[in-house]
C-alpha cells in the first residue's frame, strides 16, 4: 500500500464479525456495543466452523449468524460466498476475531481498508498460529497484541493499535495468553471506534491520527 489516504467519517456502523473458535473477542465487542461504549451495531456473526462455540454464543445472544464449512472449497470461491453474505447484511466494517483463515486478495480488495484483525503478539513478531507460545519460546520479556488492517498477507497490513504486557518467568502459554486477552478485549473496540470515527490517514504502513 503506497501513498496517503484520508478517510471521511464512516457513513455506516454495521459490523460483520468473523470467528472460528471461542469468540471471547466477539463477546467483548458485543458487551461494548450493549453498554454504549462502542457506537456500532453487530449485523452478522459468521464462522467457517459451524460448531464454533462463538457462533453458538452469538445465536444465544440473538445476533444474526451464518456459517459455511470451509473444508474442500477453493479459497476464492469460498471468500466470494462470505463477501456476498456480508454485503447482504450491509456490513460496513469486517472484524476478524479469531478467524483462523487467510483471506484471498479478492476478498480484501472488495472491502478496501474495511477489514480489521486482532493478533496476540506485537506484530511483526510472531505472526501465524500459537503466537503466545512462539513469544515464550523466543524468550521475549514483553508480549502483547495488535489490531491491524488486513491485507492478503498473514497477520500483515498497517497497524492501528498495540498493547504490551510483561512476560513473567513462571508464565506458561496459558497464563501469558490470559494476560494478553485482557488487553485484546479492550484494544479491539478502541480500534473499531477509531476506524468508524474516520479520523486517521494511512501513509504507507503507518496509520496516523488526523
Ligand atoms: C485471540 O487471542 C486472537 O487474538 C487470536 O485468536 C484468539 C481468538 O480468541 N487470533 C489470531 O491468532 C489471528 N492470527 P477468541 O475466539 O476468544 O476471540
Amino acid at each position: 500500500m503506497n501513498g496517503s489516504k484520508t478517510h471521511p467519517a464512516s457513513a455506516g456502523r454495521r459490523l460483520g464479525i468473523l470467528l472460528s473458535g471461542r469468540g471471547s473477542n466477539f463477546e467483548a465487542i458485543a458487551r461494548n456495543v450493549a453498554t454504549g461504549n462502542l457506537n456500532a451495531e453487530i449485523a452478522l456473526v459468521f464462522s467457517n466452523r459451524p460448531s464454533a462455540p462463538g457462533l453458538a454464543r452469538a445465536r444465544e445472544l440473538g445476533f444474526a449468524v451464518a456459517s459455511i464449512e470451509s473444508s474442500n472449497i477453493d479459497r476464492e470461491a469460498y471468500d466470494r460466498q462470505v463477501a456476498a453474505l456480508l454485503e447482504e447484511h450491509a456490513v460496513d466494517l469486517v472484524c476478524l476475531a479469531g478467524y483462523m483463515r487467510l483471506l484471498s486478495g479478492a476478498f480484501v480488495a472488495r472491502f478496501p481498508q474495511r477489514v480489521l484483525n486482532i493478533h496476540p503478539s506485537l506484530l511483526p513478531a510472531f505472526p501465524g498460529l500459537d503466537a503466545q507460545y512462539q513469544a515464550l519460546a523466543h524468550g521475549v520479556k514483553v508480549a502483547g497484541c495488535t489490531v491491524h488492517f488486513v491485507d492478503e498477507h498473514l497477520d500483515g497490513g498497517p497497524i492501528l493499535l498495540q498493547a504490551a504486557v510483561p512476560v513473567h518467568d513462571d508464565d506458561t502459554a496459558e497464563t501469558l495468553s490470559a494476560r494478553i486477552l485482557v488487553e485484546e478485549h479492550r484494544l479491539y473496540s478502541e480500534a473499531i471506534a477509531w476506524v468508524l470515527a474516520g479520523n486517521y490517514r494511512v501513509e504507507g504502513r503507518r496509520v496516523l491520527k488526523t
Side-chain angles (χ1 to χ4, degrees):
M1 205 174 313
N2 287 313
S4 166
K5 265 188 167 175
T6 50
H7 299 263
S10 168
R13 309 189 150 264
R14 290 172 64 80
L15 308 179
I17 312 275
L18 272 51
L19 56 80
S20 301
R22 177 179 58 182
S24 75
N25 275 288
F26 146 66
E27 281 203 66
I29 294 166
R31 267 196 304 278
N32 282 323
V33 167
T35 56
N37 287 335
L38 179 59
N39 180 13
E41 187 185 335
I42 296 177
L44 178 68
V45 180
F46 173 84
S47 184
N48 61 320
R49 301 221 176 103
S51 61
L55 197 65
R57 185 71 186 127
R59 198 178 288 116
E60 245 171 56
L61 291 171
F63 292 106
V65 299
S67 68
I68 306 172
E69 179 57 62
S70 55
S71 17
N72 305 321
I73 310 184
D74 163 77
R75 185 176 303 282
E76 292 221 350
Y78 184 84
D79 281 359
R80 268 198 300 279
Q81 295 182 43
V82 180
L85 266 176
L86 292 165
E87 283 170 0
E88 263 169 45
H89 287 81
V91 162
D92 302 297
L93 188 63
V94 180
C95 302
L96 310 187
Y99 189 62
M100 304 314 249
R101 246 182 97 77
L102 191 60
L103 293 171
S104 58
F107 183 99
V108 175
R110 205 151 151 181
F111 298 93
Q113 280 182 14
R114 282 287 173 265
V115 187
L116 306 185
N117 181 42
I118 187 151
H119 184 72
S121 79
L122 295 173
L123 289 170
F126 314 127
L129 291 177
D130 301 321
Q132 306 93 332
Y133 176 83
Q134 292 185 57
L136 271 185
H138 199 86
V140 299
K141 302 296 184 191
V142 178
C145 53
T146 303
V147 181
H148 62 93
F149 284 117
V150 170
D151 63 14
E152 65 279 22
H153 303 292
L154 178 68
D155 298 319
I159 290 171
L160 281 148
L161 294 174
Q162 293 187 301
V165 303
V167 178
H168 299 157
D169 286 355
D170 59 356
D171 265 335
T172 61
E174 287 70 33
T175 58
L176 180 59
S177 299
R179 194 173 308 119
I180 294 171
L181 201 60
V182 172
E183 296 303 314
E184 291 189 44
H185 291 168
R186 179 184 62 77
L187 199 72
Y188 210 172
S189 291
E190 200 182 310
I192 292 168
W194 187 22
V195 171
L196 291 177
N199 54 345
Y200 65 92
R201 67 180 197 279
V202 181
E203 281 186 14
R205 284 202 49 88
R206 302 185 71 201
V207 184
L208 306 170
K209 289 205 171 73
T210 55

